[in-house]
Amino acid sequence: NLTARLQETFRRLRGKGKLSERDVDEALREVRIALLEADVNFKVVRDFIARVRERACGQEVMASLTPGQQVIKIVNSELTELMGGRESKIQYSPKPPTVIMLVGLQGSGKTTTAAKLANLLKRQGKHPLLVASDTRRPAAIRQLQVLGEKVGVDVVATREGDDAVRVAKQGVARAAAIGRDVVIIDTAGRLHIDDELMDELARMKGEVNPSEVLLVVDAMTGQDAVNVAGTFNERLGLSGIILTKLDGDARGGAALSARAVTGRPIKFVGVGEKVESLEPFHPDRMASRILG
Amino acid sequence: LGRKVALDDEFFEELEAILLQADVGVKATARLLRGLEARAAGARPGGGANDLINHLKEEVLEMLGPREPLRKTPSGATVIMVVGVNGTGKTTTVGKLGYRFRREGSKVILGASDTFRAAAIEQLEIWGERAGADVIRHEEGGDPGAVAYDACQAAKARRADYVILDTAGRLHTRVNLMEELKKVRRVVEREIPGAPHEVLLVLDATSGQNAIAQARTFKDAVEVTGIALTKLDGTAKGGVVLAIREELGIPVKLVGIGEGLEDLRDFDPVEFAEALFA
Ligand SMILES: Nc1nc2c(ncn2[C@@H]2O[C@H](COP(=O)(O)OP(=O)(O)OP(=O)(O)O)[C@@H](O)[C@H]2O)c(=O)[nH]1
Ligand SMILES: Nc1nc2c(ncn2[C@@H]2O[C@H](COP(=O)(O)OP(=O)(O)OP(=O)(O)O)[C@@H](O)[C@H]2O)c(=O)[nH]1
Ligand SMILES: [Mg+2]
Ligand SMILES: [Mg+2]
């Protein structure tokens, strides 16, 4: 792992006497490799290494008896800071119902996460309503209905092929009519480069006025995370990110990429297929996971 | 070597950036660039950047290996198992594949072996309808092996040319789920000689290096024979398939380029190599 490799690097370098900046650069090359292997975006890695280099060339490393450990400490603390704070809460609207939109690429876990979120908020004393705005994918509506039943949350649905924006509006209107305080809108997966579908989301946002637009990102996403998160944020304005499938062994560098390019908080993480498998985001755990 | 201006460090760094951003990965990128340096050293003086890029494309083609077609049995039903982690596009790919075989005039049976995920069976039934293929299914919560068994029996009874089994998405780290998949494979082996003729691992083109671990684990569990690389219509390049081919010997056979019935293509290594540098 990285700690072992850095300690080995410094052991070899120290053998030659006093440490130099070039020695630190060599150590940082190991960090760079670790981050790239963890799927952190190439440019994000470059910026991160530049940021860390300054501290790594300071006294805390150069004068240390264990420079390898010091570099790890610096990298870990910088990475944790970049991961953001622990903001695993929903922004509620002063004027209910609070509307939450879940958006993202195909297959990232939106529908499952919608049900998980409804489950979580219900347990926190809220009265959520789910809205099946994916009128495109075969049996998507049915999928959300089955999950809704599982968590005991009603699902507003019309029919496959209906206008997604209209279904979303209907859902919010229904929530207001029956006194539900949270509306969670599941949307169809789409490519960030599909202008028509990105416009549809922008229109939906305009119509339902969400307090949260959460980008659902698969933890195994590679370099493309920066393009996806960046574009969704530019076109829609995101309020947060949910990282899914963290129960696997993907290092999850996409988390850093998404944070770096949007500045938005990662609010929750999906850690399984069950409806209970949604947890608050821990920046320090994510940082050590990425470093490996 | 006065015209070496195009072959300097900065140019190699640019190439490295392109490959890394295409998800080729650190090790495979290093291998490709070392191979390139060797070729550049032996190259004719005056050769410029374009020569190097063409060399690199040749290296990529070498890594990808020759095109390998989907396997087909000469008599009886060809059984194709479709596997992979959650959300990669398995069910959709089963539908597209069924449609392709139907267009060729073949009789196709789809097996709804994902008995776990909400509305997975309904989703496959819609695809079966679109493709003109029979769908063999049980109830949600049923035994995936039993569905596979029935799909094979139906294939024999109805003289189908293809049985395509859709399985539940599962993270390769879930040992019990990988055991379940092995069991499905054993059922199929018993029921039809030579089956499964093809075990397709469906990989999402947006995935990073974790795809290598997925490929390794699925290969060890159920002997993957080919990859279907989906969502190549996005901006991700799917470069991880280079390392998978090199380290595990698994070829890419199909690519998914959209969500429609016809959005399935045979893998074209030349097109893929070109797209890496586009
Ligand atoms: N292991 C694991 N699987 C997950 C997690 N979240 C979602 N999944 C699975 O990922 C697959 C895709 O989930 P969906 O909820 O259908 O994804 P989606 O984003 O709605 O997909 P589209 O609507 O097609 O864009 C399903 O098999 C889910 O069970 C998670 O945190 N862990
Ligand atoms: N853009 C694009 N989307 C695709 C492609 N292939 C599949 N999809 C979409 O990806 C999402 C997931 O597809 P599924 O077929 O449900 O994936 P799966 O692997 O069966 O998912 P699980 O069974 O839940 O593990 C759907 O929204 C599909 O329409 C592709 O080639 N391009
Ligand atoms: Mg969905
Ligand atoms: Mg499926």
Side-chain angles (χ1 to χ4, degrees):
Chain A
N1 67 7
L2 182 61
T3 309
R5 290 212 295 273
L6 280 187
Q7 288 178 333
E8 177 53 24
T9 301
F10 275 114
R11 203 181 52 77
R12 184 171 35 84
L13 294 172
R14 289 280 292 297
K16 330 188 302 351
K18 198 163 174 299
L19 278 182
S20 71
E21 282 198 0
R22 283 193 55 188
D23 295 336
V24 170
D25 277 336
E26 187 158 342
L28 289 181
R29 261 197 289 282
E30 291 290 336
V31 176
R32 176 175 181 264
I33 289 174
L35 293 175
L36 288 171
E37 288 180 335
D39 292 322
V40 180
N41 179 270
F42 179 82
K43 296 203 171 93
V44 173
V45 173
R46 189 190 50 200
D47 295 344
F48 179 78
I49 295 292
R51 164 181 176 136
V52 167
R53 188 174 186 280
E54 219 173 311
R55 261 183 81 184
C57 287
Q59 278 312 295
E60 75 192 289
V61 173
M62 299 307 221
S64 167
L65 290 175
T66 55
Q69 283 187 22
Q70 286 307 110
V71 171
I72 289 276
K73 268 183 71 209
I74 292 170
V75 170
N76 216 318
S77 85
E78 289 286 338
L79 201 51
T80 304
E81 192 175 327
L82 275 178
M83 278 301 144
R86 303 181 48 167
E87 314 184 28
S88 293
K89 306 199 217 73
I90 293 294
Q91 285 273 51
Y92 291 105
S93 167
K95 183 168 161 299
T98 290
V99 179
I100 301 170
M101 270 173 68
L102 295 185
V103 303
L105 292 183
Q106 291 89 345
S108 60
K110 299 173 293 298
T111 305
T112 310
T113 301
K116 289 178 180 180
L117 198 54
N119 185 47
L120 179 72
L121 298 184
K122 188 173 173 203
R123 291 187 177 196
Q124 290 178 355
K126 296 290 175 191
H127 304 90
L129 185 67
L130 283 164
V131 181
S133 269
D134 179 355
T135 52
R136 197 168 283 119
R137 165 175 152 157
I141 295 173
R142 181 84 199 116
Q143 184 187 3
L144 191 64
Q145 287 173 326
V146 171
L147 291 173
E149 216 165 298
K150 215 177 211 156
V151 300
V153 173
D154 293 330
V155 177
V156 169
T158 61
R159 266 202 330 264
E160 210 170 290
D162 277 2
D163 179 55
V165 178
R166 203 161 75 236
V167 177
K169 282 180 69 181
Q170 266 179 259
V172 176
R174 175 121 191 98
I178 62 178
R180 295 298 166 83
D181 50 13
V182 183
V183 181
I184 300 169
I185 304 175
D186 180 28
T187 68
R190 68 204 63 215
L191 296 177
H192 52 297
I193 53 172
D194 187 327
D195 287 334
E196 193 178 327
L197 290 187
M198 292 303 287
D199 283 343
E200 176 185 85
L201 279 186
R203 274 187 296 115
M204 187 184 291
K205 182 180 180 185
E207 294 284 350
V208 303
N209 237 311
S211 329
E212 293 276 8
V213 178
L214 301 172
L215 180 68
V216 179
V217 179
D218 192 324
M220 67 179 189
T221 309
Q223 297 289 309
D224 204 39
V226 118
N227 302 327
V228 177
T231 308
F232 268 87
N233 195 34
E234 269 169 49
R235 299 287 304 266
L236 284 188
L238 301 171
S239 63
I241 296 163
I242 297 181
L243 205 60
T244 61
K245 308 177 203 173
L246 228 54
D247 46 315
D249 60 0
R251 297 262 291 275
L256 179 58
S257 305
R259 274 286 299 160
V261 77
T262 66
R264 299 295 177 249
I266 299 174
K267 298 210 167 190
F268 299 100
V269 295
V271 292
E273 293 193 75
K274 300 210 191 82
V275 288
E276 301 82 33
S277 306
L278 189 71
E279 291 180 359
F281 175 65
H282 293 282
D284 50 347
R285 285 190 213 166
M286 194 73 225
S288 22
R289 178 182 180 133
I290 288 176
L291 282 182
Chain B
L1 247 31
R3 296 271 249 93
K4 232 162 145 286
V5 65
L7 317 185
D8 62 5
D9 280 348
E10 197 180 310
F11 182 63
F12 270 85
E13 281 180 10
E14 257 178 74
L15 291 181
E16 185 195 48
I18 290 174
L19 293 172
L20 288 174
Q21 291 182 95
D23 287 309
V24 170
V26 173
K27 293 203 181 74
T29 297
R31 269 201 295 279
L32 284 171
L33 291 182
R34 271 201 304 277
L36 190 64
E37 279 177 336
R39 285 198 199 214
R44 59 191 172 84
N50 277 331
D51 274 4
L52 274 198
I53 294 195
N54 286 332
H55 278 316
L56 200 48
K57 286 179 185 171
E58 284 171 25
E59 299 261 335
V60 169
L61 285 177
E62 213 163 298
M63 238 185 211
L64 286 172
R67 290 176 72 146
E68 275 199 39
L70 283 177
R71 299 181 185 185
K72 184 170 191 335
T73 184
S75 70
T78 294
V79 180
I80 301 176
M81 249 177 97
V82 176
V83 304
V85 303
N86 307 72
T88 55
K90 298 177 292 301
T91 306
T92 308
T93 301
V94 169
K96 292 173 180 178
L97 209 45
Y99 178 69
R100 163 194 283 215
F101 295 141
R102 287 286 303 133
R103 292 244 339 236
E104 294 169 357
S106 296
K107 185 163 176 56
V108 181
I109 287 183
L110 306 182
S113 275
D114 179 356
T115 55
F116 169 75
R117 207 210 66 209
I121 297 171
E122 286 88 329
Q123 184 188 7
L124 188 68
E125 285 186 311
I126 293 172
W127 280 108
E129 226 168 289
R130 290 178 180 181
D134 293 342
V135 177
I136 298 300
R137 54 155 296 173
H138 289 186
E139 284 316 303
E140 192 171 301
D143 172 26
V147 179
Y149 178 87
D150 278 355
C152 290
Q153 297 312 333
K156 289 188 268 190
R158 301 177 204 182
R159 310 260 178 115
D161 301 298
Y162 288 97
V163 182
I164 313 174
L165 285 181
D166 182 25
T167 65
R170 68 204 67 220
L171 293 186
H172 54 291
T173 45
R174 293 285 307 270
V175 177
N176 57 332
L177 296 182
M178 295 308 287
E179 284 306 312
E180 174 189 88
L181 199 59
K182 287 184 196 174
K183 177 160 166 281
V184 171
R185 186 193 158 107
R186 284 198 296 273
V187 166
V188 164
E189 285 172 2
R190 278 200 312 267
E191 292 315 308
I192 293 185
H197 305 94
E198 189 82 58
V199 177
L200 285 178
L201 173 66
V202 180
L203 289 181
D204 190 325
T206 66
S207 44
Q209 300 307 298
N210 192 251
I212 302 176
Q214 294 170 27
R216 184 172 294 123
T217 310
F218 275 91
K219 176 182 180 209
D220 289 343
V222 290
E223 301 168 40
V224 172
T225 56
I227 286 170
L229 186 63
T230 60
K231 309 178 199 173
L232 261 185
D233 45 317
T235 49
K237 307 269 177 149
V240 69
V241 299
L242 291 178
I244 292 175
R245 185 52 159 76
E246 245 222 345
E247 293 176 32
L248 303 171
I250 307 171
V252 180
K253 296 198 175 186
L254 299 168
V255 298
I257 53 162
E259 302 189 68
L261 206 48
E262 312 202 349
D263 294 329
L264 187 72
R265 300 272 180 282
D266 285 336
F267 180 63
D268 180 346
V270 173
E271 202 176 322
F272 183 84
E274 291 290 333
L276 277 186
F277 298 97

